[in-house]
Amino acid sequence: SFALVDRASYHREELTNGLTVIVKTIPDNEVFALMVLGKNRSANEPEGKAGITDFVNRCLERGTATRTSAELADDLAAIGAQVTLYDNPYIPYDDRYTSRAFSFMKFETIEDYAPRGLALFSEVAFSPAFDSAEVENVRQSMIGVLRRQGSSPREVARDLFFGELFGGTPYSQPIMGTPATLAGITVADLRAHHARFYSPENTILAIVTSRPADEIMSWIASGPGRLANTGFVSQSPAVPAPPQQIRIVQVPLEKEQVALYLGAPTPGAGHADAIPLDIAAGILSNRLYLNLREKQGLAYSVGAGTDVDRTFGWFAASMGTGAENYRKGVSCILLELEKLSLDGPTAAEVNRARNEVWGRLMSAKLSAINQGFYLAVDEFLGRPLPYDQQLLGTLAGINQESVRRVAAQYFRTNAFVLATAGRIPPEEAEATQGQ
């Protein structure tokens, strides 16, 4: 069993303007980290303007009300600041921080520069310039990224999966939008969306520091605490209807490889099944890796996982393989789902998966900025502060039967969404339909 020694103290406050602030004070901490979370990203994007939040975030580093893009870059460099406002397409899998549920801005500097850093980053987050020339540069670079991703089986299959699973609701839209939606977004649209989406009442601010909370709160009172409440009412995303049968969607690409996503809706963050499902998906992921990749050599990449919003979640198994192995790969995934639902896991598998969930989280939280990230996300998901202590207790209570039960309930082999991108021989596509 795990033990958690937490020397930090926590302060949570909702300001009169609606801004939620969390301060985690850690003795001897050397990095001042700040995370801004915007709630309900996809649900608040206007009709036909998918990708506008990502577009806004990419404009934030291109200048503020008082600083040009070059001046801002110089001022950030002068305090050794690290800023992350969007997913870097060149770093594989760092997109686990990128979500339809929320948007993020991450900032870190050394504690010596904390007051300057907070003032500067508040300007970046809340007073951007949206200079029209900079906006055009951002638009072109985003369209370039989308065009590259449009030939990636993994990216196409994933967007297709979301499109089908959440059909007709905001979650079906891609996070970066499409070249068509980006082309239609004006500077005025960006300004309006920024003012609404990052209004105090739709924003969570999490700070990790060695300084006492009251010192930080006094800085915030004279900075973001003075922003006006806009009366903005955040939209919540619609809960997806679970598939009643097998739904298959495919996009042909002129690529030798095929990527697929297979999954279904699951309960949200507050549901008692959410953590057992995470463990079940971890066990499934390990089995898929062992059997499909190591033993049979059927896949370049394979895995499974869950994700959650507040009121719903989803699980997905994904695979990248050669076109000739596509049908066998799908059959193997379904077989593993069935075995886990019927026979359940071994005690050793449950133990390993629990250790992996905890280990992943603890290694992610080695950096102050990721501690800030998870503080804000846990607040958004309605989890208590500090959440790690509760998570430990929940993990300890998960056993073989609880994993088998959630697998049987949610990993159904007769009702799921299967999204595929790549070169699928026509007879393969038909054969899968008939499975």
Side-chain angles (χ1 to χ4, degrees):
S1 71
F2 316 110
L4 179 65
V5 180
D6 189 352
R7 290 162 47 238
S9 58
Y10 297 86
H11 174 83
R12 178 191 178 278
E13 193 174 328
E14 210 167 301
L15 305 185
T16 50
N17 66 358
L19 181 69
T20 303
V21 183
I22 298 165
V23 181
K24 178 178 183 178
T25 302
I26 310 173
D28 316 319
N29 182 63
E30 288 171 7
V31 174
F32 175 82
L34 187 157
M35 158 80 182
V36 177
L37 181 145
K39 304 177 199 174
N40 303 318
R41 178 204 294 252
S42 293
N44 284 305
E45 297 200 328
E47 186 77 32
K49 295 188 173 25
I52 190 168
T53 311
D54 204 52
F55 198 161
V56 162
N57 271 35
R58 288 164 189 263
C59 292
L60 298 178
E61 59 190 351
R62 305 295 186 103
T64 68
T66 68
R67 290 171 169 87
T68 64
S69 184
E71 287 165 347
L72 179 61
D74 286 348
D75 287 347
L76 288 167
I79 59 169
Q82 295 284 319
V83 176
T84 311
L85 302 164
Y86 49 89
D87 171 46
N88 180 341
Y90 301 106
I91 305 176
Y93 303 112
D94 84 321
D95 52 16
R96 65 182 168 158
Y97 299 114
T98 304
S99 168
R100 286 164 170 77
F102 57 83
S103 69
F104 65 84
M105 309 176 197
K106 295 172 170 179
F107 171 87
E108 49 195 329
T109 184
I110 57 171
E111 283 283 8
D112 296 356
Y113 294 129
R116 255 169 87 184
L118 177 64
L120 183 58
F121 194 63
S122 298
E123 195 176 308
V124 170
F126 302 115
S127 308
F130 295 118
D131 170 82
S132 53
E134 295 287 356
V135 166
E136 282 321 304
N137 291 339
V138 171
R139 188 194 317 269
Q140 293 315 317
S141 92
M142 285 179 78
I143 290 172
V145 170
L146 287 174
R147 294 232 160 93
R148 279 196 303 280
Q149 289 181 348
S151 63
S152 151
R154 176 178 171 257
E155 302 282 352
V156 173
R158 190 173 58 179
D159 279 345
L160 197 59
F161 174 72
F162 274 96
E164 183 63 25
L165 189 64
F166 296 102
T169 71
Y171 255 72
S172 65
Q173 299 293 332
I175 288 176
M176 270 188 81
T178 65
T181 62
L182 294 178
I185 293 170
T186 64
V187 172
D189 292 334
L190 292 168
R191 284 187 198 285
H193 186 67
H194 175 270
R196 290 163 61 247
F197 187 71
Y198 289 117
S199 59
E201 55 270 45
N202 201 50
T203 303
I204 298 166
L205 200 60
I207 291 175
V208 178
T209 179
S210 61
R211 297 163 188 264
D214 53 3
E215 183 182 355
I216 301 293
M217 293 308 298
S218 71
W219 299 351
I220 287 174
S222 56
R226 292 165 72 172
L227 295 166
N229 180 301
T230 67
F232 174 63
V233 178
S234 197
Q235 297 300 306
S236 289
V239 177
Q244 299 304 314
Q245 73 244 31
I246 297 171
R247 304 207 310 255
I248 298 177
V249 281
Q250 295 172 326
V251 168
L253 291 175
E254 287 306 308
K255 295 274 178 183
E256 287 312 313
Q257 70 267 40
V258 173
L260 68 88
Y261 276 73
L262 185 158
T266 58
H271 196 285
D273 288 346
I275 305 299
L277 268 165
D278 200 23
I279 298 295
I283 292 167
L284 176 66
S285 196
N286 288 334
R287 288 184 175 188
L288 291 173
Y289 185 86
L290 188 69
N291 295 333
L292 270 72
R293 186 174 162 156
E294 298 299 299
K295 288 186 181 165
Q296 301 186 58
L298 283 177
Y300 318 125
S301 63
V302 66
T306 61
D307 209 340
V308 286
D309 200 321
R310 285 187 311 259
T311 53
F312 61 88
W314 58 96
F315 96 90
S318 62
M319 179 170 77
T321 186
E324 68 287 354
N325 292 327
Y326 166 73
R327 188 175 169 195
K328 197 170 178 192
V330 173
S331 300
C332 286
I333 291 174
L334 293 174
L335 180 65
E336 294 299 342
L337 287 172
E338 199 137 88
K339 281 188 346 203
L340 193 55
S341 301
L342 292 171
D343 307 334
T346 65
E349 282 181 309
V350 174
N351 214 20
R352 177 182 171 186
R354 283 198 309 227
N355 288 341
E356 283 174 350
V357 165
W358 185 249
R360 260 203 317 272
L361 191 61
M362 288 302 103
S363 64
K365 288 187 177 178
L366 288 172
S367 69
I369 190 56
N370 277 356
Q371 292 172 44
F373 175 84
Y374 286 108
L375 278 173
V377 171
D378 288 338
E379 166 69 27
F380 169 71
L381 292 175
R383 292 166 172 167
L385 186 73
Y387 174 63
D388 292 350
Q389 206 73 54
Q390 178 180 319
L391 177 62
L392 261 186
T394 308
L395 285 173
I398 292 172
N399 57 27
Q400 290 164 264
E401 178 45 35
S402 53
V403 172
R404 193 204 61 75
R405 181 185 61 76
V406 295
Q409 190 172 345
Y410 303 104
F411 295 176
R412 291 169 50 200
T413 54
N414 61 348
F416 55 82
V417 167
L418 171 61
T420 306
R423 180 170 293 181
I424 310 145
E427 67 281 6
E428 292 291 337
E430 282 157 31
T432 323
Q433 293 270 10
Q435 278 190 358

